[in-house]
């Protein structure tokens, strides 16, 4: 199909009888783009009609001469007008696949409201892919400027529809990923981060344009009504690294805090991930400026009272990095300094974690807290002595309760006990006898539990024996003497063999 026939089908050009030489009778491209924009806007509500127009626009991008498609009719003011016309058409195409707004109060639209979205998104992705491929092949001097004008809305659209979400299908996701690839090739960018941030060679990024599009969608009420807003912002932020991120903190921090406070766990998790990314990719001086780090600490600390295991897991990991910005780790403080004897935020976090662990009954939360305990004990160093009494109660409680089939909680607590033994060994002597009893019971339980795989059983046994050796070293041989009093009639020969290794290792 040539351009003349296509325009006739769209009712945008003169009849064929009036066009003896179609290539010379084509209207200015800006006029044609405006007419196509009107057709797309008018057909947005009718699925079949809009798909027909989208297909025709794709065909236009495919067969049109690039010099006519991307060149203005006049030089004076023509480039700005051409960019505006192309961007308006691209936005109209994208509007044909807009996601339905959620109801007031956060209610999700019905499945019927999303029924046509994947097919429309696939059609729009195909049309925009052809546009970008044609623009990428064009050698005109203003191609880079036109691409920069079109890239932000196209990027936002592609990211929206390659998400694994309820508004996408495998077909629409594949089409969106193909569109994102075409955008990278057209801009000669190696990845999405390069596309957003640009590079040091003068190639500008599109991050500012993307944030301009997302900003109106990130208010408290707007996030409720736009199901993809949180995902889009989180994806964008996680592509940005230092040094690009720091100057944008005033634009990136408020939406991240808003998502962090969201009542939906999935949005809250995205917010915590965004805050953690900011902490990792921002110089400490910038975080301390305007008391931002303290604000982040308070926003994250309150989640430790939550009952969502996935949220707490992310928060504990983020706090571990944020605390290094706010204060020196207790493990690095000189034992003679007055600051090392003062309670700090590390103590506050560890104290609350141990308090929650004592009473926690949910398996998922027990696993999360137990896994977070070893790195926090490492960070505390000898200052963990402030928490030994509470830590002892936690260790005793967690060693008594099985966590099959992987025994992850017990393994984490055993690791925590090992690290505490190395960091605060002078204070463990008085607790060696108390801790030895649950360790012995654990060896007996594990050796007779049929639910455990042999690899798990061996791992728990090895970690338990290591704890016994460390306690024996802390107590100057007290554990060795206690083990000699173990009644062999109550233990298997295999267990007696394990205990013998503790004695022989200590003697060596």
């Amino acid at each position: 199909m040539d351009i003349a026939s296509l325009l006739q089908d769209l009712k945008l050009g003169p009849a064929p009888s009036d066009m003896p030489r179609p290539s010379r009778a084509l209207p200015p491209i800006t006029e044609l783009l405006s007419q196509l924009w009107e057709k797309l806007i008018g057909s947005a509500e009718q699925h079949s009609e809009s798909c027909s127009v989208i297909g025709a626009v794709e065909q236009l991008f495919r067969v049109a001469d690039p010099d006519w498609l991307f060149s203005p009719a006049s030089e004076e003011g023509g480039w700005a007008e051409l960019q505006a016309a192309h961007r308006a058409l691209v936005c109209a195409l994208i509007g044909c696949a807009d996601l339905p707004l959620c109801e007031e109060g956060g209610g999700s639209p019905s499945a019927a409201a999303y029924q046509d979205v994947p097919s429309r998104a696939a059609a729009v992705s195909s049309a925009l892919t052809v546009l970008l491929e044609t623009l990428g092949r064009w050698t005109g001097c203003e191609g880079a400027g036109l691409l920069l004008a079109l890239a932000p809305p196209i990027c936002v659209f592609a990211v929206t529809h390659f998400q694994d979400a309820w508004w996408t299908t495998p077909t629409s996701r594949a089409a969106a990923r193909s569109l994102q690839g075409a955008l990278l090739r057209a801009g000669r960018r190696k990845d999405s981060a390069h596309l957003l941030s640009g590079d040091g060679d003068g190639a500008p990024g599109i991050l500012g344009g993307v944030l301009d599009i997302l900003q109106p969608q990130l208010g408290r009420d707007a996030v409720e009504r736009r199901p993809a807003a949180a995902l889009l912002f989180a994806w964008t932020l996680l592509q940005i690294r230092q040094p690009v991120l720091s100057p944008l903190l005033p634009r990136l921090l408020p939406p991240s805090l808003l998502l962090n406070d969201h009542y939906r766990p999935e949005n809250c998790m995205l917010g915590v991930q965004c805050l953690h990314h900011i902490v990792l990719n921002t110089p400490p001086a910038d975080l301390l400026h305007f008391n931002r780090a303290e604000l982040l600490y308070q926003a994250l600390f309150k989640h430790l009272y939550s009952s969502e295991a996935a949220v707490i897991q992310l928060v504990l990991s983020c706090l571990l990095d944020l605390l290094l910005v706010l204060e020196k780790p207790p493990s690095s403080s000189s034992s003679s300094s007055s600051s090392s004897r003062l309670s700090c935020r590390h103590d506050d976090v560890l104290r609350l974690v141990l308090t929650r662990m004592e009473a926690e009954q949910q398996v998922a939360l027990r696993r999360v807290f137990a896994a977070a305990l070893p790195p926090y004990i490492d960070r505390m160093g000898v200052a963990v002595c402030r928490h030994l009494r509470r830590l002892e109660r936690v260790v005793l409680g967690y060693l008594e309760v099985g966590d099959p089939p992987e025994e992850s909680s017990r393994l984490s607590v055993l690791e925590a006990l090992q690290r505490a033994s190395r960091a605060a060994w002078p204070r463990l002597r008085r607790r060696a006898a108390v801790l030895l009893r649950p360790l012995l019971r654990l060896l007996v339980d594990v050796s007779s539990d049929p639910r455990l795989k042999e690899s798990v059983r061996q791992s728990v046994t090895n970690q338990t024996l290591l704890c016994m050796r460390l306690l024996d070293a802390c107590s100057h041989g007290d554990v060795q003497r206690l083990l000699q009093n173990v009644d062999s009639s109550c233990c298997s020969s295999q267990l007696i063999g394990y205990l013998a290794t503790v004695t022989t290792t200590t003697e060596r």
Side-chain angles (χ1 to χ4, degrees), residues 250-274:
R251 299 189 70 179
L252 299 175
L253 198 53
S256 300
L257 289 168
L258 177 66
L259 292 179
N260 173 77
D261 288 337
H262 204 272
Y263 68 94
R264 290 182 178 173
E266 59 271 21
N267 285 346
C268 181
M269 291 167 62
L270 288 174
V272 176
Q273 289 173 345
C274 289

Side-chain angles (χ1 to χ4, degrees), residues 57 74 131 163 207 257 475-476:
V57 172
S74 61
L131 171 63
Q163 303 291 334
L207 179 58
L257 289 168
S475 61
H476 305 292

Side-chain angles (χ1 to χ4, degrees), residues 356-366 398:
R356 288 217 54 186
M357 290 179 74
E358 281 190 77
E360 191 54 61
Q361 299 298 319
Q362 293 186 40
V363 174
L365 279 171
R366 288 170 67 90
Y398 274 61

Side-chain angles (χ1 to χ4, degrees), residues 110-176:
S110 63
Y114 287 94
Q115 185 175 1
D116 296 334
V117 170
S119 59
R120 291 190 183 204
V124 171
S125 296
S126 179
L128 294 176
T129 299
V130 173
L131 171 63
L132 291 173
E133 289 173 347
T134 304
L135 181 58
R137 292 191 300 268
W138 187 52
T139 58
C141 59
E142 294 295 329
L146 180 57
L147 181 63
L148 281 176
L150 302 182
I154 293 177
C155 181
V156 171
F157 172 79
V159 175
T160 301
H161 291 280
F162 69 54
Q163 303 291 334
D164 188 3
W166 68 81
W167 59 82
T168 64
T169 63
T171 301
S172 66
R173 288 194 291 271

Side-chain angles (χ1 to χ4, degrees), residues 318-333:
C318 183
L319 281 173
L320 198 64
D321 292 315
L322 178 61
L323 287 171
L324 289 179
V325 177
L326 288 163
E327 61 192 22
K328 291 182 179 179
S331 59
S332 67
S333 301

